[in-house]
């Protein structure tokens, strides 16, 4: 399950597999599905990740 992290200004969705954080839940879900299946990161997805 995608985790949520609340920061003072906004909420982030975090992939539980690789811990990348996303503003958009759909990318976090995609990332998590990808990470589970492939045990690696997909650049097309992780480029949408943000630094917390
Ligand atoms: Zn991931």
């Amino acid at each position: 399950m995608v985790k949520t992290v609340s920061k003072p200004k906004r909420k982030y969705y975090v992939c539980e597999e690789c811990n990348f954080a996303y503003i958009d839940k759909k990318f976090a879900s995609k990332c998590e599905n990808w990470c589970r299946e492939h045990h690696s990161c997909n650049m097309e997805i992780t480029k949408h990740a943000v630094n917390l």
Side-chain angles (χ1 to χ4, degrees), residues 14-43:
V14 181
C15 169
E16 282 206 319
E17 298 294 314
C18 67
N19 283 315
F20 273 117
Y22 300 88
I23 289 167
D24 194 328
K25 193 181 179 187
K26 75 172 190 253
F27 287 119
S29 302
K30 268 190 190 180
C31 186
E32 206 165 271
N33 290 337
W34 183 277
C35 291
R36 277 217 183 101
E37 274 182 40
H38 303 269
H39 298 286
S40 69
C41 283
N42 182 338
M43 279 299 292

